[in-house]
Amino acid sequence: MSKQPIYLDYNATTPVDEQVLEEMLPYFTSKFGNASSVQHTFGWDAEEAIDISREKVAKSIGAKPSEIIFTSGATEAINLALFGSYNEGEKNHIITSKTEHKAVLDTCEELEKRGAKITYLKVDRNGIIDLNELKASISDQTLLVSIMSANNETGVLQPMDEIGEICKERNILLFSDATQALGKTPLNLEEANIDMAAFSAHKMYGPKGVGALYIGKQSNLQPQAFGGGHEKGLRSGTQNVPGIVGFGKACEVANNLIENEIERLSQLRDWLEKELLQLGSTTINGEKANRLSHVANVSFENVEGNKLMRALKGLAVSQGSACNSSVIEPSHVLKAMGLNDRLAYASLRISLGRQTTEEEVRKAVQIIRGSVEQLRMQLQ
């Protein structure tokens, strides 16, 4: 039987925390009620569990429980926020960035077909937008700005406080894909003047198939699914009670661990990067930006990218977003940061997590260094 690979792809997904699973299990069996069954105790128990989870999620982002709408994940939340904000015949301009997740970019592409005007802000070498370009892009027709809090490929954190101030001054809605930020960096959406934000439980040790949309002052959001009026009429469909319970517990657990995990993982990540840089002709993408503590995106010159992943036997890492992994093309994020196709291909996203040990990181460095050295020799 083959040995389990070292898992360093926590940005793609995370294992469900044991405390989360324990909290969820009764809602598959003894507490199986439908939260919409308001005539009996099974429904009441399910409704109460959802209310408690809504409070836990809200607490983790500095929001009110009434501002949380549960969805099937971040992609649905993003679609609800962007499509729900757009009304043909009214303001039709949306500003976003070239390094957004495909869930945002593909939604914006569809909105363009419906008449929306989309501005895609450039980023610098470290993946940060230019705040002056953002200001200059705003017009009387600007409806919404959509900027992700933390990039899924590089871990780069955008200056959301400053972006929030700009949007507040111009009375423009600010939406943020905060999927990778939740549970990994402190969040207070109200203080940051973020009006809407999307989240997904499976990125932070909760179950797959559940997420949320935070809605602050925005009250004119139009539903995109109909049939029952669940979640304040904004997301019809029977609520995923076990998933929602798991999401709430995952937020609670993350809140208790976040400070220690940031310190522990940043030390492991920094050591890993230092060791890989000793290879020479190696770049840490976004190195000079403020980043999530557990993510390293590393490019290796003089390496054939199509051979790199195959060479990393015993190691589970990625070359970009898990949601885009079926498409064999260089990362749009790295290309927007100025990397050419060849170097973007020869890049690895390494994301550490709660289960990552120092021994695993040391072993990973050995595997990567050995593989890169061997691939470079083949090109000589």
Side-chain angles (χ1 to χ4, degrees), residues 216-242:
K217 71 178 183 183
Q218 163 68 318
S219 58
N220 297 319
L221 209 62
Q222 300 300 309
Q224 301 302 299
F226 301 87
H230 309 79
E231 295 296 303
K232 297 186 177 178
L234 287 173
R235 200 277 181 179
S236 289
T238 302
Q239 287 129 312
N240 174 7
V241 181

mmCIF file with all atom_site columns, all heavy atoms in Angstrom, residues 216-242:
data_model
loop_
_atom_site.group_PDB
_atom_site.id
_atom_site.type_symbol
_atom_site.label_atom_id
_atom_site.label_alt_id
_atom_site.label_comp_id
_atom_site.label_asym_id
_atom_site.label_entity_id
_atom_site.label_seq_id
_atom_site.pdbx_PDB_ins_code
_atom_site.Cartn_x
_atom_site.Cartn_y
_atom_site.Cartn_z
_atom_site.occupancy
_atom_site.B_iso_or_equiv
_atom_site.pdbx_formal_charge
_atom_site.auth_seq_id
_atom_site.auth_comp_id
_atom_site.auth_asym_id
_atom_site.auth_atom_id
_atom_site.pdbx_PDB_model_num
ATOM 1   N N   . GLY A 1 216 ? -24.223 43.781 4.545   1.00 0.00 ? 216 GLY A N   1
ATOM 2   C CA  . GLY A 1 216 ? -24.302 44.853 5.511   1.00 0.00 ? 216 GLY A CA  1
ATOM 3   C C   . GLY A 1 216 ? -25.402 45.836 5.165   1.00 0.00 ? 216 GLY A C   1
ATOM 4   O O   . GLY A 1 216 ? -26.592 45.503 5.192   1.00 0.00 ? 216 GLY A O   1
ATOM 5   N N   . LYS A 1 217 ? -25.023 47.025 4.782   1.00 0.00 ? 217 LYS A N   1
ATOM 6   C CA  . LYS A 1 217 ? -26.032 48.059 4.557   1.00 0.00 ? 217 LYS A CA  1
ATOM 7   C C   . LYS A 1 217 ? -26.838 47.826 3.285   1.00 0.00 ? 217 LYS A C   1
ATOM 8   O O   . LYS A 1 217 ? -27.889 48.429 3.100   1.00 0.00 ? 217 LYS A O   1
ATOM 9   C CB  . LYS A 1 217 ? -25.356 49.438 4.488   1.00 0.00 ? 217 LYS A CB  1
ATOM 10  C CG  . LYS A 1 217 ? -24.519 49.653 3.219   1.00 0.00 ? 217 LYS A CG  1
ATOM 11  C CD  . LYS A 1 217 ? -23.914 51.049 3.188   1.00 0.00 ? 217 LYS A CD  1
ATOM 12  C CE  . LYS A 1 217 ? -23.134 51.289 1.898   1.00 0.00 ? 217 LYS A CE  1
ATOM 13  N NZ  . LYS A 1 217 ? -22.487 52.610 1.875   1.00 0.00 ? 217 LYS A NZ  1
ATOM 14  N N   . GLN A 1 218 ? -26.346 46.963 2.391   1.00 0.00 ? 218 GLN A N   1
ATOM 15  C CA  . GLN A 1 218 ? -27.056 46.713 1.141   1.00 0.00 ? 218 GLN A CA  1
ATOM 16  C C   . GLN A 1 218 ? -28.390 46.037 1.428   1.00 0.00 ? 218 GLN A C   1
ATOM 17  O O   . GLN A 1 218 ? -28.464 44.996 2.067   1.00 0.00 ? 218 GLN A O   1
ATOM 18  C CB  . GLN A 1 218 ? -26.203 45.820 0.229   1.00 0.00 ? 218 GLN A CB  1
ATOM 19  C CG  . GLN A 1 218 ? -26.959 45.147 -0.906  1.00 0.00 ? 218 GLN A CG  1
ATOM 20  C CD  . GLN A 1 218 ? -27.442 46.127 -1.959  1.00 0.00 ? 218 GLN A CD  1
ATOM 21  O OE1 . GLN A 1 218 ? -27.929 47.187 -1.619  1.00 0.00 ? 218 GLN A OE1 1
ATOM 22  N NE2 . GLN A 1 218 ? -27.317 45.764 -3.205  1.00 0.00 ? 218 GLN A NE2 1
ATOM 23  N N   . SER A 1 219 ? -29.475 46.648 0.942   1.00 0.00 ? 219 SER A N   1
ATOM 24  C CA  . SER A 1 219 ? -30.806 46.093 1.202   1.00 0.00 ? 219 SER A CA  1
ATOM 25  C C   . SER A 1 219 ? -31.598 45.829 -0.071  1.00 0.00 ? 219 SER A C   1
ATOM 26  O O   . SER A 1 219 ? -32.724 45.353 -0.006  1.00 0.00 ? 219 SER A O   1
ATOM 27  C CB  . SER A 1 219 ? -31.601 47.050 2.097   1.00 0.00 ? 219 SER A CB  1
ATOM 28  O OG  . SER A 1 219 ? -31.714 48.328 1.487   1.00 0.00 ? 219 SER A OG  1
ATOM 29  N N   . ASN A 1 220 ? -31.024 46.147 -1.218  1.00 0.00 ? 220 ASN A N   1
ATOM 30  C CA  . ASN A 1 220 ? -31.756 46.009 -2.480  1.00 0.00 ? 220 ASN A CA  1
ATOM 31  C C   . ASN A 1 220 ? -31.311 44.799 -3.291  1.00 0.00 ? 220 ASN A C   1
ATOM 32  O O   . ASN A 1 220 ? -31.555 44.734 -4.494  1.00 0.00 ? 220 ASN A O   1
ATOM 33  C CB  . ASN A 1 220 ? -31.575 47.272 -3.326  1.00 0.00 ? 220 ASN A CB  1
ATOM 34  C CG  . ASN A 1 220 ? -32.164 48.493 -2.638  1.00 0.00 ? 220 ASN A CG  1
ATOM 35  O OD1 . ASN A 1 220 ? -33.235 48.414 -2.042  1.00 0.00 ? 220 ASN A OD1 1
ATOM 36  N ND2 . ASN A 1 220 ? -31.460 49.610 -2.711  1.00 0.00 ? 220 ASN A ND2 1
ATOM 37  N N   . LEU A 1 221 ? -30.655 43.848 -2.646  1.00 0.00 ? 221 LEU A N   1
ATOM 38  C CA  . LEU A 1 221 ? -30.184 42.662 -3.350  1.00 0.00 ? 221 LEU A CA  1
ATOM 39  C C   . LEU A 1 221 ? -31.378 41.856 -3.871  1.00 0.00 ? 221 LEU A C   1
ATOM 40  O O   . LEU A 1 221 ? -32.331 41.596 -3.127  1.00 0.00 ? 221 LEU A O   1
ATOM 41  C CB  . LEU A 1 221 ? -29.355 41.807 -2.397  1.00 0.00 ? 221 LEU A CB  1
ATOM 42  C CG  . LEU A 1 221 ? -28.245 40.936 -2.984  1.00 0.00 ? 221 LEU A CG  1
ATOM 43  C CD1 . LEU A 1 221 ? -27.196 41.785 -3.672  1.00 0.00 ? 221 LEU A CD1 1
ATOM 44  C CD2 . LEU A 1 221 ? -27.601 40.115 -1.871  1.00 0.00 ? 221 LEU A CD2 1
ATOM 45  N N   . GLN A 1 222 ? -31.307 41.456 -5.142  1.00 0.00 ? 222 GLN A N   1
ATOM 46  C CA  . GLN A 1 222 ? -32.386 40.684 -5.754  1.00 0.00 ? 222 GLN A CA  1
ATOM 47  C C   . GLN A 1 222 ? -32.062 39.198 -5.701  1.00 0.00 ? 222 GLN A C   1
ATOM 48  O O   . GLN A 1 222 ? -30.968 38.783 -6.067  1.00 0.00 ? 222 GLN A O   1
ATOM 49  C CB  . GLN A 1 222 ? -32.571 41.118 -7.218  1.00 0.00 ? 222 GLN A CB  1
ATOM 50  C CG  . GLN A 1 222 ? -32.930 42.579 -7.390  1.00 0.00 ? 222 GLN A CG  1
ATOM 51  C CD  . GLN A 1 222 ? -34.224 42.943 -6.693  1.00 0.00 ? 222 GLN A CD  1
ATOM 52  O OE1 . GLN A 1 222 ? -35.248 42.291 -6.873  1.00 0.00 ? 222 GLN A OE1 1
ATOM 53  N NE2 . GLN A 1 222 ? -34.177 43.986 -5.868  1.00 0.00 ? 222 GLN A NE2 1
ATOM 54  N N   . PRO A 1 223 ? -33.001 38.363 -5.244  1.00 0.00 ? 223 PRO A N   1
ATOM 55  C CA  . PRO A 1 223 ? -32.733 36.918 -5.187  1.00 0.00 ? 223 PRO A CA  1
ATOM 56  C C   . PRO A 1 223 ? -32.503 36.333 -6.568  1.00 0.00 ? 223 PRO A C   1
ATOM 57  O O   . PRO A 1 223 ? -33.016 36.855 -7.568  1.00 0.00 ? 223 PRO A O   1
ATOM 58  C CB  . PRO A 1 223 ? -34.017 36.357 -4.552  1.00 0.00 ? 223 PRO A CB  1
ATOM 59  C CG  . PRO A 1 223 ? -35.071 37.382 -4.819  1.00 0.00 ? 223 PRO A CG  1
ATOM 60  C CD  . PRO A 1 223 ? -34.366 38.700 -4.810  1.00 0.00 ? 223 PRO A CD  1
ATOM 61  N N   . GLN A 1 224 ? -31.735 35.269 -6.622  1.00 0.00 ? 224 GLN A N   1
ATOM 62  C CA  . GLN A 1 224 ? -31.433 34.600 -7.884  1.00 0.00 ? 224 GLN A CA  1
ATOM 63  C C   . GLN A 1 224 ? -32.051 33.203 -7.941  1.00 0.00 ? 224 GLN A C   1
ATOM 64  O O   . GLN A 1 224 ? -31.981 32.532 -8.967  1.00 0.00 ? 224 GLN A O   1
ATOM 65  C CB  . GLN A 1 224 ? -29.911 34.512 -8.068  1.00 0.00 ? 224 GLN A CB  1
ATOM 66  C CG  . GLN A 1 224 ? -29.197 35.856 -8.068  1.00 0.00 ? 224 GLN A CG  1
ATOM 67  C CD  . GLN A 1 224 ? -29.701 36.791 -9.151  1.00 0.00 ? 224 GLN A CD  1
ATOM 68  O OE1 . GLN A 1 224 ? -29.602 36.482 -10.339 1.00 0.00 ? 224 GLN A OE1 1
ATOM 69  N NE2 . GLN A 1 224 ? -30.256 37.943 -8.754  1.00 0.00 ? 224 GLN A NE2 1
ATOM 70  N N   . ALA A 1 225 ? -32.616 32.748 -6.842  1.00 0.00 ? 225 ALA A N   1
ATOM 71  C CA  . ALA A 1 225 ? -33.302 31.458 -6.787  1.00 0.00 ? 225 ALA A CA  1
ATOM 72  C C   . ALA A 1 225 ? -34.613 31.654 -6.036  1.00 0.00 ? 225 ALA A C   1
ATOM 73  O O   . ALA A 1 225 ? -34.670 32.413 -5.065  1.00 0.00 ? 225 ALA A O   1
ATOM 74  C CB  . ALA A 1 225 ? -32.437 30.412 -6.085  1.00 0.00 ? 225 ALA A CB  1
ATOM 75  N N   . PHE A 1 226 ? -35.650 30.978 -6.479  1.00 0.00 ? 226 PHE A N   1
ATOM 76  C CA  . PHE A 1 226 ? -36.980 31.173 -5.907  1.00 0.00 ? 226 PHE A CA  1
ATOM 77  C C   . PHE A 1 226 ? -37.590 29.830 -5.521  1.00 0.00 ? 226 PHE A C   1
ATOM 78  O O   . PHE A 1 226 ? -37.291 28.808 -6.126  1.00 0.00 ? 226 PHE A O   1
ATOM 79  C CB  . PHE A 1 226 ? -37.881 31.896 -6.913  1.00 0.00 ? 226 PHE A CB  1
ATOM 80  C CG  . PHE A 1 226 ? -37.349 33.235 -7.337  1.00 0.00 ? 226 PHE A CG  1
ATOM 81  C CD1 . PHE A 1 226 ? -36.458 33.339 -8.399  1.00 0.00 ? 226 PHE A CD1 1
ATOM 82  C CD2 . PHE A 1 226 ? -37.719 34.381 -6.667  1.00 0.00 ? 226 PHE A CD2 1
ATOM 83  C CE1 . PHE A 1 226 ? -35.955 34.571 -8.791  1.00 0.00 ? 226 PHE A CE1 1
ATOM 84  C CE2 . PHE A 1 226 ? -37.218 35.614 -7.042  1.00 0.00 ? 226 PHE A CE2 1
ATOM 85  C CZ  . PHE A 1 226 ? -36.333 35.711 -8.107  1.00 0.00 ? 226 PHE A CZ  1
ATOM 86  N N   . GLY A 1 227 ? -38.481 29.868 -4.509  1.00 0.00 ? 227 GLY A N   1
ATOM 87  C CA  . GLY A 1 227 ? -39.154 28.642 -4.137  1.00 0.00 ? 227 GLY A CA  1
ATOM 88  C C   . GLY A 1 227 ? -39.149 28.364 -2.653  1.00 0.00 ? 227 GLY A C   1
ATOM 89  O O   . GLY A 1 227 ? -38.549 27.394 -2.216  1.00 0.00 ? 227 GLY A O   1
ATOM 90  N N   . GLY A 1 228 ? -39.797 29.214 -1.890  1.00 0.00 ? 228 GLY A N   1
ATOM 91  C CA  . GLY A 1 228 ? -39.891 28.937 -0.463  1.00 0.00 ? 228 GLY A CA  1
ATOM 92  C C   . GLY A 1 228 ? -39.515 30.105 0.416   1.00 0.00 ? 228 GLY A C   1
ATOM 93  O O   . GLY A 1 228 ? -39.908 30.179 1.573   1.00 0.00 ? 228 GLY A O   1
ATOM 94  N N   . GLY A 1 229 ? -38.721 31.020 -0.113  1.00 0.00 ? 229 GLY A N   1
ATOM 95  C CA  . GLY A 1 229 ? -38.384 32.224 0.638   1.00 0.00 ? 229 GLY A CA  1
ATOM 96  C C   . GLY A 1 229 ? -37.446 32.022 1.804   1.00 0.00 ? 229 GLY A C   1
ATOM 97  O O   . GLY A 1 229 ? -37.424 32.819 2.741   1.00 0.00 ? 229 GLY A O   1
ATOM 98  N N   . HIS A 1 230 ? -36.631 30.954 1.768   1.00 0.00 ? 230 HIS A N   1
ATOM 99  C CA  . HIS A 1 230 ? -35.672 30.727 2.840   1.00 0.00 ? 230 HIS A CA  1
ATOM 100 C C   . HIS A 1 230 ? -34.608 31.827 2.856   1.00 0.00 ? 230 HIS A C   1
ATOM 101 O O   . HIS A 1 230 ? -34.412 32.540 1.877   1.00 0.00 ? 230 HIS A O   1
ATOM 102 C CB  . HIS A 1 230 ? -34.973 29.374 2.657   1.00 0.00 ? 230 HIS A CB  1
ATOM 103 C CG  . HIS A 1 230 ? -35.917 28.220 2.456   1.00 0.00 ? 230 HIS A CG  1
ATOM 104 N ND1 . HIS A 1 230 ? -36.512 27.967 1.248   1.00 0.00 ? 230 HIS A ND1 1
ATOM 105 C CD2 . HIS A 1 230 ? -36.351 27.261 3.312   1.00 0.00 ? 230 HIS A CD2 1
ATOM 106 C CE1 . HIS A 1 230 ? -37.281 26.887 1.362   1.00 0.00 ? 230 HIS A CE1 1
ATOM 107 N NE2 . HIS A 1 230 ? -37.205 26.449 2.603   1.00 0.00 ? 230 HIS A NE2 1
ATOM 108 N N   . GLU A 1 231 ? -33.913 31.934 3.977   1.00 0.00 ? 231 GLU A N   1
ATOM 109 C CA  . GLU A 1 231 ? -32.821 32.914 4.128   1.00 0.00 ? 231 GLU A CA  1
ATOM 110 C C   . GLU A 1 231 ? -33.268 34.323 3.710   1.00 0.00 ? 231 GLU A C   1
ATOM 111 O O   . GLU A 1 231 ? -32.694 34.944 2.826   1.00 0.00 ? 231 GLU A O   1
ATOM 112 C CB  . GLU A 1 231 ? -31.584 32.477 3.343   1.00 0.00 ? 231 GLU A CB  1
ATOM 113 C CG  . GLU A 1 231 ? -30.948 31.192 3.848   1.00 0.00 ? 231 GLU A CG  1
ATOM 114 C CD  . GLU A 1 231 ? -30.392 31.317 5.263   1.00 0.00 ? 231 GLU A CD  1
ATOM 115 O OE1 . GLU A 1 231 ? -29.555 32.194 5.499   1.00 0.00 ? 231 GLU A OE1 1
ATOM 116 O OE2 . GLU A 1 231 ? -30.815 30.517 6.140   1.00 0.00 ? 231 GLU A OE2 1
ATOM 117 N N   . LYS A 1 232 ? -34.345 34.773 4.344   1.00 0.00 ? 232 LYS A N   1
ATOM 118 C CA  . LYS A 1 232 ? -34.902 36.119 4.105   1.00 0.00 ? 232 LYS A CA  1
ATOM 119 C C   . LYS A 1 232 ? -35.331 36.314 2.661   1.00 0.00 ? 232 LYS A C   1
ATOM 120 O O   . LYS A 1 232 ? -35.327 37.445 2.152   1.00 0.00 ? 232 LYS A O   1
ATOM 121 C CB  . LYS A 1 232 ? -33.882 37.192 4.499   1.00 0.00 ? 232 LYS A CB  1
ATOM 122 C CG  . LYS A 1 232 ? -33.519 37.199 5.965   1.00 0.00 ? 232 LYS A CG  1
ATOM 123 C CD  . LYS A 1 232 ? -32.637 38.381 6.289   1.00 0.00 ? 232 LYS A CD  1
ATOM 124 C CE  . LYS A 1 232 ? -32.355 38.394 7.778   1.00 0.00 ? 232 LYS A CE  1
ATOM 125 N NZ  . LYS A 1 232 ? -31.465 39.509 8.146   1.00 0.00 ? 232 LYS A NZ  1
ATOM 126 N N   . GLY A 1 233 ? -35.652 35.219 1.994   1.00 0.00 ? 233 GLY A N   1
ATOM 127 C CA  . GLY A 1 233 ? -36.094 35.300 0.611   1.00 0.00 ? 233 GLY A CA  1
ATOM 128 C C   . GLY A 1 233 ? -34.974 35.453 -0.394  1.00 0.00 ? 233 GLY A C   1
ATOM 129 O O   . GLY A 1 233 ? -35.217 35.510 -1.604  1.00 0.00 ? 233 GLY A O   1
ATOM 130 N N   . LEU A 1 234 ? -33.726 35.500 0.093   1.00 0.00 ? 234 LEU A N   1
ATOM 131 C CA  . LEU A 1 234 ? -32.595 35.716 -0.810  1.00 0.00 ? 234 LEU A CA  1
ATOM 132 C C   . LEU A 1 234 ? -31.963 34.422 -1.310  1.00 0.00 ? 234 LEU A C   1
ATOM 133 O O   . LEU A 1 234 ? -31.191 34.433 -2.274  1.00 0.00 ? 234 LEU A O   1
ATOM 134 C CB  . LEU A 1 234 ? -31.514 36.556 -0.111  1.00 0.00 ? 234 LEU A CB  1
ATOM 135 C CG  . LEU A 1 234 ? -31.873 38.033 0.070   1.00 0.00 ? 234 LEU A CG  1
ATOM 136 C CD1 . LEU A 1 234 ? -30.825 38.727 0.929   1.00 0.00 ? 234 LEU A CD1 1
ATOM 137 C CD2 . LEU A 1 234 ? -31.989 38.720 -1.290  1.00 0.00 ? 234 LEU A CD2 1
ATOM 138 N N   . ARG A 1 235 ? -32.301 33.301 -0.665  1.00 0.00 ? 235 ARG A N   1
ATOM 139 C CA  . ARG A 1 235 ? -31.692 32.036 -1.084  1.00 0.00 ? 235 ARG A CA  1
ATOM 140 C C   . ARG A 1 235 ? -32.665 30.896 -0.770  1.00 0.00 ? 235 ARG A C   1
ATOM 141 O O   . ARG A 1 235 ? -32.545 30.223 0.246   1.00 0.00 ? 235 ARG A O   1
ATOM 142 C CB  . ARG A 1 235 ? -30.347 31.839 -0.364  1.00 0.00 ? 235 ARG A CB  1
ATOM 143 C CG  . ARG A 1 235 ? -29.405 30.860 -1.027  1.00 0.00 ? 235 ARG A CG  1
ATOM 144 C CD  . ARG A 1 235 ? -29.691 29.434 -0.670  1.00 0.00 ? 235 ARG A CD  1
ATOM 145 N NE  . ARG A 1 235 ? -28.751 28.515 -1.315  1.00 0.00 ? 235 ARG A NE  1
ATOM 146 C CZ  . ARG A 1 235 ? -28.781 27.197 -1.143  1.00 0.00 ? 235 ARG A CZ  1
ATOM 147 N NH1 . ARG A 1 235 ? -29.707 26.635 -0.374  1.00 0.00 ? 235 ARG A NH1 1
ATOM 148 N NH2 . ARG A 1 235 ? -27.913 26.430 -1.758  1.00 0.00 ? 235 ARG A NH2 1
ATOM 149 N N   . SER A 1 236 ? -33.636 30.722 -1.642  1.00 0.00 ? 236 SER A N   1
ATOM 150 C CA  . SER A 1 236 ? -34.628 29.674 -1.418  1.00 0.00 ? 236 SER A CA  1
ATOM 151 C C   . SER A 1 236 ? -33.999 28.295 -1.555  1.00 0.00 ? 236 SER A C   1
ATOM 152 O O   . SER A 1 236 ? -33.074 28.094 -2.337  1.00 0.00 ? 236 SER A O   1
ATOM 153 C CB  . SER A 1 236 ? -35.776 29.823 -2.415  1.00 0.00 ? 236 SER A CB  1
ATOM 154 O OG  . SER A 1 236 ? -36.551 30.956 -2.105  1.00 0.00 ? 236 SER A OG  1
ATOM 155 N N   . GLY A 1 237 ? -34.541 27.361 -0.800  1.00 0.00 ? 237 GLY A N   1
ATOM 156 C CA  . GLY A 1 237 ? -34.035 25.993 -0.801  1.00 0.00 ? 237 GLY A CA  1
ATOM 157 C C   . GLY A 1 237 ? -33.881 25.503 0.626   1.00 0.00 ? 237 GLY A C   1
ATOM 158 O O   . GLY A 1 237 ? -33.491 26.269 1.519   1.00 0.00 ? 237 GLY A O   1
ATOM 159 N N   . THR A 1 238 ? -34.202 24.227 0.844   1.00 0.00 ? 238 THR A N   1
ATOM 160 C CA  . THR A 1 238 ? -34.083 23.654 2.180   1.00 0.00 ? 238 THR A CA  1
ATOM 161 C C   . THR A 1 238 ? -32.666 23.850 2.723   1.00 0.00 ? 238 THR A C   1
ATOM 162 O O   . THR A 1 238 ? -31.689 23.530 2.050   1.00 0.00 ? 238 THR A O   1
ATOM 163 C CB  . THR A 1 238 ? -34.418 22.151 2.147   1.00 0.00 ? 238 THR A CB  1
ATOM 164 O OG1 . THR A 1 238 ? -35.735 21.989 1.647   1.00 0.00 ? 238 THR A OG1 1
ATOM 165 C CG2 . THR A 1 238 ? -34.311 21.540 3.531   1.00 0.00 ? 238 THR A CG2 1
ATOM 166 N N   . GLN A 1 239 ? -32.575 24.367 3.915   1.00 0.00 ? 239 GLN A N   1
ATOM 167 C CA  . GLN A 1 239 ? -31.261 24.662 4.494   1.00 0.00 ? 239 GLN A CA  1
ATOM 168 C C   . GLN A 1 239 ? -30.494 23.385 4.837   1.00 0.00 ? 239 GLN A C   1
ATOM 169 O O   . GLN A 1 239 ? -31.069 22.413 5.326   1.00 0.00 ? 239 GLN A O   1
ATOM 170 C CB  . GLN A 1 239 ? -31.422 25.533 5.739   1.00 0.00 ? 239 GLN A CB  1
ATOM 171 C CG  . GLN A 1 239 ? -31.794 26.967 5.427   1.00 0.00 ? 239 GLN A CG  1
ATOM 172 C CD  . GLN A 1 239 ? -32.997 27.432 6.231   1.00 0.00 ? 239 GLN A CD  1
ATOM 173 O OE1 . GLN A 1 239 ? -34.017 26.737 6.297   1.00 0.00 ? 239 GLN A OE1 1
ATOM 174 N NE2 . GLN A 1 239 ? -32.898 28.610 6.830   1.00 0.00 ? 239 GLN A NE2 1
ATOM 175 N N   . ASN A 1 240 ? -29.209 23.426 4.560   1.00 0.00 ? 240 ASN A N   1
ATOM 176 C CA  . ASN A 1 240 ? -28.306 22.303 4.850   1.00 0.00 ? 240 ASN A CA  1
ATOM 177 C C   . ASN A 1 240 ? -27.928 22.373 6.330   1.00 0.00 ? 240 ASN A C   1
ATOM 178 O O   . ASN A 1 240 ? -26.887 22.909 6.687   1.00 0.00 ? 240 ASN A O   1
ATOM 179 C CB  . ASN A 1 240 ? -27.079 22.416 3.942   1.00 0.00 ? 240 ASN A CB  1
ATOM 180 C CG  . ASN A 1 240 ? -26.003 21.401 4.252   1.00 0.00 ? 240 ASN A CG  1
ATOM 181 O OD1 . ASN A 1 240 ? -26.193 20.503 5.064   1.00 0.00 ? 240 ASN A OD1 1
ATOM 182 N ND2 . ASN A 1 240 ? -24.857 21.545 3.601   1.00 0.00 ? 240 ASN A ND2 1
ATOM 183 N N   . VAL A 1 241 ? -28.796 21.840 7.172   1.00 0.00 ? 241 VAL A N   1
ATOM 184 C CA  . VAL A 1 241 ? -28.617 22.024 8.620   1.00 0.00 ? 241 VAL A CA  1
ATOM 185 C C   . VAL A 1 241 ? -27.283 21.443 9.119   1.00 0.00 ? 241 VAL A C   1
ATOM 186 O O   . VAL A 1 241 ? -26.541 22.148 9.820   1.00 0.00 ? 241 VAL A O   1
ATOM 187 C CB  . VAL A 1 241 ? -29.805 21.428 9.405   1.00 0.00 ? 241 VAL A CB  1
ATOM 188 C CG1 . VAL A 1 241 ? -29.607 21.645 10.907  1.00 0.00 ? 241 VAL A CG1 1
ATOM 189 C CG2 . VAL A 1 241 ? -31.114 22.061 8.957   1.00 0.00 ? 241 VAL A CG2 1
ATOM 190 N N   . PRO A 1 242 ? -26.923 20.185 8.787   1.00 0.00 ? 242 PRO A N   1
ATOM 191 C CA  . PRO A 1 242 ? -25.627 19.687 9.270   1.00 0.00 ? 242 PRO A CA  1
ATOM 192 C C   . PRO A 1 242 ? -24.452 20.537 8.788   1.00 0.00 ? 242 PRO A C   1
ATOM 193 O O   . PRO A 1 242 ? -23.514 20.808 9.554   1.00 0.00 ? 242 PRO A O   1
ATOM 194 C CB  . PRO A 1 242 ? -25.550 18.272 8.695   1.00 0.00 ? 242 PRO A CB  1
ATOM 195 C CG  . PRO A 1 242 ? -26.951 17.902 8.366   1.00 0.00 ? 242 PRO A CG  1
ATOM 196 C CD  . PRO A 1 242 ? -27.635 19.162 7.994   1.00 0.00 ? 242 PRO A CD  1
#
